[in-house]
Amino acid sequence: MFTENPCLVRHCRNNALSTFDENGNLTEEKSYCLDHIPDPGKLKQDIYNYIKNNNKIIGLCASGLIFQDIDFSNKEFYGCNFHRCTFTNIHAENVLTHMCIFDFAVFNDCSFIKSNSMFTSFSGSTFFHTLFTSSDMIQDNFNGIKAYQSSFDDSDLFNSRFIMASLVDTSMQNCNLKHTLFYDSVRTNVSFKMSNTREALFDRKGSALQKGEKDTGGEA
């Protein structure tokens, strides 16, 4: 998991952004969050360059940053913090994210096709036209997300959680939904065709949708 490194400003509860030495390597120096960093432009560029120049990224904190028109394909992220980041037109095919935080992030027109995600949290995030097609997303946290015209088709969502999620015009066809939780979720025009909905949980009594049913958010 990423290291908790609070902002140096007294009473600020934000996590400090990662810092780098003169060679562009991550350091463990105490620093400031995005709201208080003295030179945010330079540090943003340092973080962008670090991601661009490294294929395996461990313990990076980029909380609050905006990422646009960047290719994350084939990169590996371990224990990284992207809390409240904004991602626009990101291509991230075959990306790996393990034990990362994307809570309350915003994703616009992003592609995570054939990605591998485990023990990663997207809680409270918003997805517009985002593709997770053909991905392995095992034991991930999607609680409270809002997904619009997005796709999880052909993905393994084993033991992931969509509690209190809002899914609109979003597809989960041919997915593994074993032990996947949808408690208190709102689902409008969601397709579960060919998915094993009988092994998912849609309410706390354990009821499931009929296999292949096109969901409108109603009871099974």
Side-chain angles (χ1 to χ4, degrees), residues 92-107:
E93 286 79 7
N94 296 302
V95 70
L96 182 149
T97 57
H98 283 195
M99 299 183 72
C100 292
I101 300 293
F102 292 89
D103 291 355
F104 301 101
V106 177
F107 298 83

Side-chain angles (χ1 to χ4, degrees), residues 5-216:
N5 187 13
C7 178
L8 284 172
V9 172
R10 188 177 182 183
H11 302 309
C12 180
R13 296 185 178 181
N14 295 331
N15 283 309
L17 296 173
S18 293
T19 56
F20 304 85
D21 62 22
E22 62 274 10
N23 296 316
N25 299 314
L26 274 173
T27 72
E28 296 183 0
E29 293 181 7
K30 295 185 179 299
S31 184
Y32 298 91
C33 69
L34 185 61
D35 293 336
H36 297 118
I37 194 77
D39 190 351
K42 180 182 183 304
L43 188 53
K44 288 178 186 178
Q45 194 58 53
D46 287 343
I47 290 175
Y48 298 152
N49 289 340
Y50 186 79
I51 294 175
K52 179 180 179 180
N53 295 329
N54 291 272
N55 290 325
K56 181 178 288 187
I57 298 153
I58 302 173
L60 176 72
C61 181
S63 181
L65 266 62
I66 296 173
F67 296 89
Q68 185 170 358
D69 303 322
I70 299 176
D71 193 344
F72 287 173
S73 296
N74 301 307
K75 293 188 179 293
E76 300 179 4
F77 296 87
Y78 299 90
C80 294
N81 182 359
F82 293 98
H83 178 253
R84 294 192 181 279
C85 286
T86 298
F87 300 89
T88 302
N89 194 31
I90 298 299
H91 297 278
E93 286 79 7
N94 296 302
V95 70
L96 182 149
T97 57
H98 283 195
M99 299 183 72
C100 292
I101 300 293
F102 292 89
D103 291 355
F104 301 101
V106 177
F107 298 83
N108 295 287
D109 298 307
C110 295
S111 174
F112 294 89
I113 294 173
K114 296 182 179 179
S115 61
N116 184 305
S117 178
M118 184 175 289
F119 304 119
T120 289
S121 179
F122 298 90
S123 179
S125 292
T126 303
F127 302 90
F128 298 97
H129 310 110
T130 297
L131 302 179
F132 290 103
T133 309
S134 302
S135 295
D136 293 325
M137 310 191 77
I138 310 299
Q139 299 192 60
D140 287 344
N141 179 2
F142 293 96
N143 291 344
I145 69 163
K146 297 178 177 64
Y148 304 94
Q149 296 182 340
S150 295
S151 174
F152 294 84
D153 289 351
D154 305 310
S155 294
D156 189 348
L157 300 172
F158 173 75
N159 207 30
S160 288
R161 300 174 302 285
F162 291 82
I163 298 170
M164 299 186 71
S166 177
L167 309 175
V168 179
D169 297 326
T170 289
S171 183
M172 291 186 172
Q173 297 188 30
N174 194 36
C175 288
N176 177 24
L177 301 179
K178 187 171 184 179
H179 300 316
T180 306
L181 303 183
F182 294 92
Y183 297 157
D184 304 314
S185 61
V186 176
R187 306 175 304 278
T188 304
N189 195 28
V190 175
S191 176
F192 291 101
K193 185 178 180 180
M194 301 299 293
S195 295
N196 54 338
T197 53
R198 290 185 180 276
E199 298 187 83
L201 298 176
F202 288 86
D203 64 43
R204 298 182 189 278
K205 295 179 181 179
S207 66
L209 296 177
Q210 294 296 319
K211 185 174 182 180
E213 181 178 346
K214 193 170 186 179
D215 192 25
T216 58

